[in-house]
Amino acid sequence: IENVGDLNEMVAQKRIAECIQVAEGLHEKKIAHVADRIAAGIDKAKFVFIAGPSSSGKTTFAKRLGIQLRVNGLTPIGIGLDDYFVDREATPKDDRGEYDFESLYALNIDALNSNLVKLLAGEEVTVPRYDFKNGKSVPGDRRIRLEKNQVLIVEGIHGLNDQLTPRIPPESKFKVYVSALTQLSIDTLNRIPTTDTRLIRRLVRDRRYRGYPTSETIRRWPSVVRGEKRNIFPYQEGADVIFNTALPYELAVLKRFARRFLEEVTPEEPEFAEARRILTFLQLFVTVD
């Protein structure tokens, strides 16, 4: 499957299930290899940091890696850096005066490092929880401790930046860089930008699970991309593993959700033109249930 036409032909021939199984099988094979490497070094590296740009698939990868670690006899514990966000009013602002959620300092670095140091020492800690709808950090009720065959999976955009964990020794960290490097093209002359795939992923996620209107996601996207160039891409070379989460069929699946959400953007909103552009692009795909 090299382009959208190939994908649509697979759908028309009712062979999309085969495509999905092969794509997912390839991911599982590669994730199993990553889990093998982590298991081989578990005596030193107790923390697995998963980082990547927005909507690159960090959370999904972390969950699937957790399964493969169990196959290796390890018990993974997962936490998200999103739960260490500072309260919204304390979030740094960018040069346009908007909240910069991609800034390293949008996270409570002291609280995170305090918890990680305690976990490394075998102590029990309480993980905070972030209320996205109200923009507040609230006390969590989840208590965790690292035992002998346990590994902590930490996922978030800043996982590869050592300034996030200055109190943690380098040998205690295994770093994974995750990105959605879209291999599908529209035709032989026009490629699909990786940022478009991630934007469509993000607007579906924000609208369904975080309560953000689609117009707000589109409005903030340029700021997100600027933040990635500053806070994420410079650190990707420091990763122990790079994993591509792109799937050839995903836009055909996301279409039915994204189209409904994009149609909510009204002509009076500044984001209307971008919403129509994405809608026009998605019309190229035959919908997959």
Side-chain angles (χ1 to χ4, degrees):
I1 300 177
E2 297 182 354
N3 53 51
V4 177
D6 292 341
L7 178 63
N8 289 343
E9 189 172 349
M10 290 284 283
V11 179
Q13 294 177 354
K14 302 187 184 302
R15 294 177 58 203
I16 193 64
E18 176 188 352
C19 164
I20 292 171
Q21 289 166 355
V22 172
E24 296 288 348
L26 177 61
H27 274 198
E28 287 300 331
K29 184 175 182 179
K30 291 184 175 181
I31 293 171
H33 179 65
V34 176
D36 291 344
R37 287 187 59 182
I38 294 170
I42 187 63
D43 291 338
K44 291 183 178 179
K46 300 289 287 184
F47 301 140
V48 177
F49 287 89
I50 300 172
S54 176
S55 298
S56 57
K58 296 181 292 295
T59 302
T60 301
F61 174 83
K63 290 179 179 179
R64 297 176 74 167
L65 177 63
I67 293 172
Q68 294 296 337
L69 288 171
R70 289 179 183 276
V71 173
N72 280 273
L74 303 179
T75 304
I77 302 174
I79 64 171
L81 292 180
D82 286 1
D83 281 324
Y84 286 88
F85 272 133
V86 298
D87 290 346
R88 191 160 297 160
E89 59 268 19
T91 303
K93 294 187 178 181
D94 59 19
D95 52 5
R96 300 188 178 191
E98 298 179 348
Y99 287 125
D100 187 0
F101 296 108
E102 277 69 40
S103 168
L104 175 67
Y105 302 103
L107 299 172
N108 190 334
I109 296 174
D110 290 339
L112 174 65
N113 278 263
S114 176
N115 281 357
L116 293 180
V117 168
K118 289 178 180 177
L119 287 170
L120 209 54
E123 299 178 33
E124 187 178 74
V125 302
T126 301
V127 180
R129 184 174 64 84
Y130 194 77
D131 183 342
F132 280 96
K133 291 191 176 180
N134 295 314
K136 295 284 185 182
S137 177
V138 297
D141 53 8
R142 183 181 173 215
R143 300 187 65 82
I144 60 174
R145 183 200 303 269
L146 278 183
E147 306 292 347
K148 181 181 178 182
N149 285 328
Q150 289 185 314
V151 60
L152 184 73
I153 298 177
V154 185
E155 61 99 355
I157 64 174
H158 297 288
L160 303 186
N161 187 348
D162 286 329
Q163 295 179 54
L164 175 73
T165 52
R167 297 171 61 186
I168 306 302
E171 61 270 16
S172 296
K173 296 180 278 191
F174 185 93
K175 300 175 182 179
V176 182
Y177 179 75
V178 175
S179 189
L181 303 173
T182 309
Q183 68 268 44
L184 202 66
S185 62
I186 296 174
D187 52 35
T188 55
L189 298 177
N190 298 283
R191 61 180 294 274
I192 296 174
T194 294
T195 50
D196 273 1
T197 300
R198 292 193 293 111
L199 173 56
I200 292 168
R201 285 182 177 186
R202 180 167 173 139
L203 66 87
V204 172
R205 181 201 68 187
D206 283 359
R207 178 65 176 75
R208 291 195 79 196
Y209 304 112
R210 296 191 175 180
Y212 297 153
T214 301
S215 56
E216 182 177 337
T217 300
I218 293 174
R219 179 177 59 82
R220 291 208 65 257
W221 186 245
S223 174
V224 170
V225 173
R226 287 195 302 272
E228 291 168 352
K229 291 178 180 178
R230 183 175 65 249
N231 300 312
I232 302 170
F233 298 143
Y235 304 100
Q236 61 185 338
E237 299 301 325
D240 297 291
V241 168
I242 295 177
F243 185 83
N244 182 11
T245 66
L247 293 159
Y249 63 87
E250 67 178 287
L251 291 173
V253 175
L254 289 172
K255 174 183 175 180
R256 64 194 296 259
F257 300 102
R259 184 172 58 186
R260 184 166 73 249
F261 300 149
L262 288 162
E263 287 173 348
E264 295 173 355
V265 182
T266 64
E268 292 75 26
E269 296 178 277
E271 297 76 25
F272 180 74
E274 177 67 356
R276 300 312 297 184
R277 181 190 72 81
I278 302 171
L279 276 169
T280 302
F281 164 63
L282 288 173
Q283 287 176 357
L284 298 171
F285 293 86
V286 174
T287 306
V288 173
D289 191 356

